[in-house]
Amino acid sequence: MDLVTKIREKAKADKKHIVLPEGTEKRTVKAAELIVKEKIADVTLLGDPGAIGKVAAEVGADLAGVEIVDPAKSPDFQGYADAYFKMRESKGMTADKAVETMKDPLFFGVMMVYAGKCHGMVAGAENATGNVLRPALQILRTKPGVSSVTGSFIMISENQQLGDNGVSVFADCAVTPVMTAEQMAECAYCSALTAKEIAGIAEPKVAMLSFSTKGSASHESVDKVVEATKIAQERYPDLLIDGELQMDAATVESVGQSKSPGSRVAGRANVFIFPSLESGNISYKAVQRFGGAEAIGPILQGIAKPVNDLSRGCSIEDVINTVAVVCCQA
């Protein structure tokens, strides 16, 4: 059974309720039908029922079993607006502005998650990442002990010698341009959870990546990785982590044991934490395009309740898979 199928089966085994705020987006509407038919999750689509019905007819989707909610006409609307006003009043929010904000399906959807009406939200087929993240960070905020959101990718390679039988997690590849040492340590912890809960890696082994291995080069960026490794080791004592490591020292056992003798991670890593968004984003795309690896993500990490972002170029299958991932996170 391939990993995507495993993720879907795990979602089915403990079915959750997911809100899709882009209710008139064609791929999302078709995906909603298939998610419910395959019993991956219960689904709520947000938007005007008439407009959603027209899109469903266009794409040939039978939405029987899919809940459709028009935010402005929902009995929860005013309560959500009042709650949002109270949580943002110190930031200059007014009651009138809160009402206008809650008409945005992205904000209404996140409030559904906040209120416990749904377990998670998936959006981004027609919205930029910033638009998806903004309500999540304002309303749900981050998990206790986590100061920033990061984005990981599950990388699946045909080379079984890499990662955990070809499966690895790369982060941060999607959100935070330059992490502090503390944020990098948090990212390591969150990525290890993703590896275990989503990728099915029983024993995450985290490599803190750099262009240096154990002092082979000197630079302030290397110092940050060294500091991040120490923070993670102190804060998460059960986490298998080593750094700073170059990519070959992290992935090739002979190189790893030569450069970091006795390490339980060097040469055996399956979770890779990059020192910057620049390096992480370039690397996952290079591995995907040049190496032929499959990339699942981005998987947003660190939010108090699961919200995940789609690429605007996503397929129907991408929407379904991302919903399954959110179910597993929940």
Side-chain angles (χ1 to χ4, degrees):
M1 187 184 298
D2 64 75
L3 181 58
V4 171
T5 302
K6 288 180 181 178
I7 291 171
R8 290 190 183 193
E9 290 300 316
K10 185 175 180 181
K12 291 178 185 180
D14 187 14
K15 194 163 69 167
K16 305 298 184 184
H17 191 153
I18 307 300
V19 58
L20 304 177
E22 296 165 324
T24 55
E25 199 283 318
K26 292 181 179 180
R27 293 160 295 178
T28 301
V29 171
K30 187 63 180 177
E33 174 198 25
L34 298 173
I35 290 163
V36 169
K37 280 186 175 179
E38 295 180 24
K39 299 181 180 180
I40 294 170
D42 293 322
V43 172
T44 295
L45 283 174
L46 298 184
D48 174 70
I52 292 174
K54 287 181 181 179
V55 174
E58 285 180 35
V59 299
D62 177 3
L63 296 183
V66 176
E67 182 184 39
I68 298 174
V69 173
D70 186 340
K73 296 179 180 178
S74 167
D76 295 319
F77 181 85
Q78 191 59 52
Y80 288 173
D82 291 343
Y84 180 68
F85 164 62
K86 290 177 183 177
M87 69 176 68
R88 299 293 295 175
E89 187 176 10
S90 64
K91 303 289 186 180
M93 181 59 58
T94 65
D96 288 343
K97 190 176 178 181
V99 168
E100 288 303 308
T101 301
M102 212 44 56
K103 293 177 183 177
D104 182 339
L106 292 173
F107 278 85
F108 189 89
V110 171
M111 280 301 302
M112 290 183 75
V113 178
Y114 177 81
K117 290 290 183 75
C118 294
H119 295 96
M121 185 179 91
V122 172
E126 59 182 7
N127 280 280
T129 298
N131 293 336
V132 176
L133 276 176
R134 193 172 299 111
L137 292 177
Q138 288 183 8
I139 296 168
L140 300 174
R141 303 180 184 175
T142 55
K143 292 180 179 180
V146 178
S147 64
S148 65
V149 176
T150 54
S152 67
F153 280 82
I154 298 173
M155 306 300 296
I156 306 171
S157 171
E158 291 183 2
N159 186 344
Q160 301 292 297
Q161 301 303 310
L162 297 175
D164 185 72
N165 294 316
V167 178
S168 303
V169 174
F170 284 20
D172 179 8
C173 304
V175 181
T176 305
V178 181
M179 291 185 286
T180 64
E182 184 168 349
Q183 288 171 332
M184 197 173 175
E186 293 170 0
C187 180
Y189 173 72
C190 290
S191 299
L193 289 180
T194 295
K196 184 173 286 189
E197 295 173 358
I198 311 299
I201 297 174
E203 188 176 50
K205 299 181 180 71
V206 184
M208 305 293 268
L209 298 174
S210 177
F211 61 86
S212 168
T213 297
K214 300 297 182 179
S216 64
S218 178
H219 190 271
E220 60 184 18
S221 65
V222 177
D223 296 339
K224 182 181 78 170
V225 178
V226 172
E227 182 184 357
T229 304
K230 289 180 180 177
I231 292 171
Q233 289 169 335
E234 292 170 1
R235 190 175 294 180
Y236 316 111
D238 294 331
L239 184 63
L240 279 179
I241 186 168
D242 196 8
E244 84 282 15
L245 297 173
Q246 292 162 288
M247 182 58 91
D248 59 348
T251 56
V252 182
E253 188 157 6
S254 60
V255 177
Q257 293 307 307
S258 172
K259 292 186 175 183
S260 185
S263 171
R264 295 175 65 189
V265 173
R268 308 181 181 97
N270 48 43
V271 178
F272 301 89
I273 307 303
F274 294 84
S276 69
L277 176 59
E278 181 178 58
S279 58
N281 189 270
I282 290 170
S283 295
Y284 104 77
K285 288 181 178 177
V287 171
Q288 181 186 35
R289 301 301 179 182
F290 283 87
E294 180 181 357
I296 300 175
I299 298 169
L300 298 182
Q301 306 173 151
I303 303 173
K305 292 186 177 182
V307 171
N308 251 313
D309 182 38
L310 295 161
S311 163
R312 277 171 283 180
C314 66
S315 66
I316 293 168
E317 288 296 305
D318 290 334
V319 180
I320 296 170
N321 292 338
T322 303
V323 166
V325 165
V326 169
C327 291
C328 294
Q329 287 179 302

